Amino acid sequence: MSRFVIVTAAVLGLALGAAGSAQAADAKEVFDFYCAQCHGVKGDGKGVNVTKDFATDPRNFTNKEDMAKRTDEDIKTVIRDGGPAISKSPLMPPWASTLTAAEVDGLLAYIRKMGK
Amino acid sequence: MRLLAVTVSLGAALLVTMTAPSYAAGGDAIFKKSCTSCHYTDGPAKEKTIADQLAKKGPELFYAGSKFQKDWLTAWLQAPKPIRPMKYNSLTDKNAGDHPKLSAGDAANVSEFLMGLTSKEVKAGVIQAKSNVQGKNIFGKKAPCSGCHEYSDKGVLRGGKSGPSLAGASKRLNPDWIYAYMTNIKAFKPVRDMPDFASVLNPKDLENVAAYVATFE
């Protein structure tokens, strides 16, 4: 009986682990495609678009202190509606009509991990 | 009678042989032979996922005739210079500028073929290239296209690198296509890293910014 429980738990654990990594991969794919050009693949705010002409510093998601000041709702709002929605730069564009709610949630979780 | 049949058969074979080269030199045939490993021309757009878009080596061309100006296209195919600062679908590798060159004759034929690929989404005669303050403000500040697109500021290239350059847009792009693309971007590219600005800019704003971009040298 106990052996059955262990095996079941192991299988369940593997399944959950696989689901978790699939979700993480999706968020990374979304981040790399839509966000990395300005925020950088590492999330450090050093994307390829950030030249001397770029009028603001894209958020550095690896900065723990700075990210601690941002609420989850602020981050989701700025992703959906763009910088001006939280009094930030319009260089952050609105993605509401491009991304699903689940993709925005996935991005939030992915971004949060960068600061840890 | 048998001689006649053989003669007719030979004549037919000769005719086929003689007509084959002119078919092979047609723009569609040249395109199929040389260009389809990177570009597709049979719309509508095929991409449904990010992976679909990333698998492409070059842009879709099923609306090329609505997007480009023919003189520019014919000249570019003979002496292609990078339009995108970065390699297609890359944020790390620069555009190597290694697009194949065509001879003048092949370029004219391929250009003829591509210019026949039009989109009903692009209405003709809607946008005239015109510098305007509203469009300039949108491009540089309000919904800054310049964040991702390069442009020429009195000969100096400024702006972002991830999107295609808009320097020289006045010679390359059809102003009506610029407007149609911004108005209904999903019809052209359902999966792309450019936001849908029709959701935040009103039709007049879109007209103004399209007219402004269409003036770019």
Side-chain angles (χ1 to χ4, degrees):
Chain A
M1 181 62 187
S2 61
R3 195 170 171 188
F4 174 73
V5 171
I6 291 168
V7 170
T8 307
V11 169
L12 190 63
L14 279 174
L16 286 172
S21 63
Q23 196 175 29
D26 287 346
K28 176 175 168 44
E29 184 182 51
V30 171
F31 183 88
D32 287 354
F33 191 68
Y34 295 107
C35 317
Q37 56 266 52
C38 297
H39 292 281
V41 174
K42 295 175 185 168
D44 55 7
K46 295 177 181 171
V48 69
N49 283 331
V50 188
T51 66
K52 60 180 170 50
D53 299 319
F54 209 81
T56 192
D57 294 326
R59 186 69 49 205
N60 175 357
F61 303 128
T62 66
N63 184 324
K64 292 178 191 175
E65 292 76 24
D66 193 28
M67 289 306 290
K69 297 175 193 165
R70 311 288 155 200
T71 66
D72 286 356
E73 203 45 50
D74 271 354
I75 293 173
K76 290 206 284 188
T77 298
V78 80
I79 293 172
R80 284 193 301 254
D81 301 326
I86 60 162
S87 304
K88 296 292 179 185
S89 170
L91 276 160
M92 173 65 195
W95 295 102
S97 65
T98 304
L99 301 176
T100 64
E103 286 171 332
V104 173
D105 287 343
L107 280 174
L108 171 65
Y110 187 72
I111 288 165
R112 286 291 188 204
K113 278 184 191 168
M114 289 174 164
K116 290 179 180 170
Chain B
M1 186 63 188
R2 195 171 171 186
L3 179 66
L4 181 63
V6 170
T7 307
V8 169
S9 299
L10 279 173
L14 189 62
L15 194 64
V16 168
T17 308
M18 287 174 69
T19 53
S22 71
Y23 171 74
D28 54 347
I30 298 166
F31 188 91
K32 278 174 191 160
K33 184 181 172 191
S34 308
C35 315
T36 48
S37 60
C38 297
H39 303 282
Y40 72 86
T41 52
D42 53 330
K46 302 180 189 305
E47 310 84 64
K48 291 186 169 47
T49 64
I50 292 173
D52 292 341
Q53 170 58 28
L54 295 179
K56 289 160 62 186
K57 295 180 187 170
E60 66 289 340
L61 293 174
F62 66 86
Y63 48 88
S66 295
K67 177 179 181 179
F68 296 120
Q69 296 186 29
K70 189 175 183 183
D71 287 349
W72 173 87
L73 183 58
T74 308
W76 189 86
L77 288 168
Q78 296 169 69
K81 290 183 182 141
I83 295 169
R84 292 172 170 273
M86 308 304 290
K87 182 181 173 183
Y88 194 72
N89 275 330
S90 176
L91 295 177
T92 52
D93 299 340
K94 288 189 176 174
N95 188 332
D98 55 357
H99 191 281
K101 292 180 184 177
L102 297 183
S103 67
D106 283 357
N109 285 338
V110 170
S111 180
E112 186 75 31
F113 165 63
L114 290 175
M115 292 307 292
L117 305 175
T118 55
S119 167
K120 63 178 171 49
E121 302 293 333
V122 182
K123 305 283 183 286
V126 176
I127 301 295
Q128 305 294 322
K130 185 183 178 186
S131 189
N132 65 90
V133 175
Q134 295 88 347
K136 184 178 183 180
N137 186 46
I138 292 164
F139 185 88
K141 290 180 182 169
K142 186 177 173 185
C145 319
S146 57
C148 298
H149 294 281
E150 214 172 53
Y151 63 101
S152 173
D153 179 13
K154 296 168 188 162
V156 178
L157 289 176
R158 299 190 185 283
K161 307 286 183 196
S162 67
S165 173
L166 293 173
S170 61
K171 293 183 177 64
R172 185 172 99 236
L173 300 175
N174 171 11
D176 288 323
W177 175 82
I178 301 172
Y179 176 68
Y181 189 75
M182 295 201 67
T183 306
N184 187 12
I185 196 166
K186 289 173 185 170
F188 300 96
K189 281 184 89 76
V191 184
R192 78 278 140 193
D193 52 356
M194 177 165 155
D196 179 2
F197 284 105
S199 66
V200 287
L201 296 175
N202 64 46
K204 193 66 192 168
D205 284 341
L206 295 170
E207 278 181 35
N208 286 333
V209 76
Y212 178 67
V213 169
T215 66
F216 283 8
E217 296 293 326

